Amino acid sequence: SILMGQEMTQIDPGTDGARELLQRREPLFALAIGGTGSDRTVTDIVLPSIPNTKVTGKSSSQGLNVVSEGGSQNNNALQKKLGGRFGDVFTNGEGGEYEVHHIPADSASPLPRMDGPAIKMEKADIIACIKEKGIVGLGGACFPTHVKLMIPEGKKAQHCIINAAECEPYISIDNRIMIERGEELIIGACILRKALDLNDVYIGVEHNKKEAIANLQHIATKYNGVHVITLKTKYPQGAEKQLIKSITGREVPAGKLPIDVGCVVDNVATALAVYEAVQKNKPLISNYMTYSGKSVSAPKNYRVRLGTPLKDIIEANGGLAEDTEKVISGGPMMGKAITNLNAYTAKGFSSLLQMNAKEAQRLTPQNCIRCARCVEACPMGLEPYLLSLLSKQNRLEDCEKEQIMSCIECGSCQFTCPSFRPLLDYIRLGKNRTGGMIRARMQQNK
């Protein structure tokens, strides 16, 4: 692949170049990969007016308030205080169900704002505000941010880390946020730091994002304890555990969480959302996303309201290219194919990628030749060939013993396999089933 800012070239595993790569025994995660459209500024897509079939929530002088907030602390609030309407439950592009926000584009906020770098809220108020505004991890997992800030008894946060690595090809929205809204990002990082009672915050950026690094380093001189760390450009540098190892030198043990080694990690877009929630009293009602692909004539970065139909985003860019074979939610390595373009954007939606027939084509799987390329490529130290076989045979107890739940689904194993075996497909299936088995066992033991 080519570094960010230039066209990204996918390596076909059947080409001589890929064979040469395998002969050099270079693991995939040492390759420098970036994405197209990194120089595209962020623009807005206006949410079209869509009739509601069912309204939930209560009207007030400030619009609709909390829509759903369950009894568990892990449930994030779905909320809107800017005026507007909430719609019914729709299926998103990955098969999940979300309650969609239908928000007029001309909504004006009647809420007070606290512009500027001064963080006036105390720790408890910050956490409560983040929960109330429905802020979640926007790197993909959508884990409620306020839960990360509520450190369990017996544990202590020692490092606050902002994940700005953005290692997936094509996706460049975090890069643009760092360039265009760097100061707001850093204030958001300082808010997270304050909520954790820490003096320092570390922002890890891959070294190919030179403009973003220069901008953040310049802004960081005005804030004490903000450290911009330049990281080697490699995949999957943006994975949480790999980022922690690169910045702190600490390794998160299998089955453990970052807080077990004293770390709390949040995404760039999450830090920006925290800034808007705490300083501007703004709920999470919009997403930042990249629209890209080799056949896309003008790749763009957008800010879209939650609930924007995917087909409207595509139509705003002239429709699908004629050679489009797949539309992907996310990047080419970890993203998932979208089966219904009538789906809607939801929290954590970061990219809409068009893939042509050549990119999307899967070659015929061959027998495993025991080359161990997948083992060498796995950043978690697993044995993907074995996990794939165990998953295929539905040997879930063995999958658990071989640490299948530690797989981060980065796709490195499948990308490097010279026999084109669908390793990740089987591992994802086995991981899902094994997770269900573990949850059922825990429920029985209660």
Side-chain angles (χ1 to χ4, degrees), residues 128-144:
C129 178
I130 289 173
K131 178 181 180 181
E132 180 189 359
K133 299 300 184 292
I135 309 302
V136 300
L138 297 176
C142 292
F143 190 78

Side-chain angles (χ1 to χ4, degrees), residues 29 235-236 239 242 374-382 408 410-413:
F29 53 86
Y235 181 85
Q242 279 64 40
C374 60
V375 177
E376 185 179 12
C378 180
M380 298 303 296
L382 304 176
I408 61 174
C410 67
S412 299
C413 55

Side-chain angles (χ1 to χ4, degrees), residues 106-145:
D106 59 352
S107 295
S109 173
L111 299 174
R113 298 189 175 195
M114 296 175 285
D115 292 322
I119 303 170
K120 299 179 181 179
M121 285 191 185
E122 297 301 322
K123 172 182 175 179
D125 295 328
I126 289 173
I127 296 175
C129 178
I130 289 173
K131 178 181 180 181
E132 180 189 359
K133 299 300 184 292
I135 309 302
V136 300
L138 297 176
C142 292
F143 190 78
T145 302

Side-chain angles (χ1 to χ4, degrees), residues 145-194:
T145 302
H146 72 276
V147 178
K148 283 188 176 182
L149 302 176
M150 298 167 65
I151 308 302
E153 187 177 353
K155 301 186 186 300
K156 179 177 175 59
Q158 298 172 319
H159 297 282
C160 180
I161 299 173
I162 302 300
N163 185 351
E166 194 170 48
C167 56
E168 271 267 26
Y170 290 104
I171 303 178
S172 58
I173 191 63
D174 286 355
N175 184 45
R176 293 312 309 178
I177 289 175
M178 289 186 282
I179 294 171
E180 297 180 30
R181 304 195 64 182
E183 183 138 23
E184 294 99 318
L185 162 63
I186 286 181
I187 294 173
C190 292
I191 292 171
L192 291 167
R193 174 184 67 181
K194 184 173 182 178

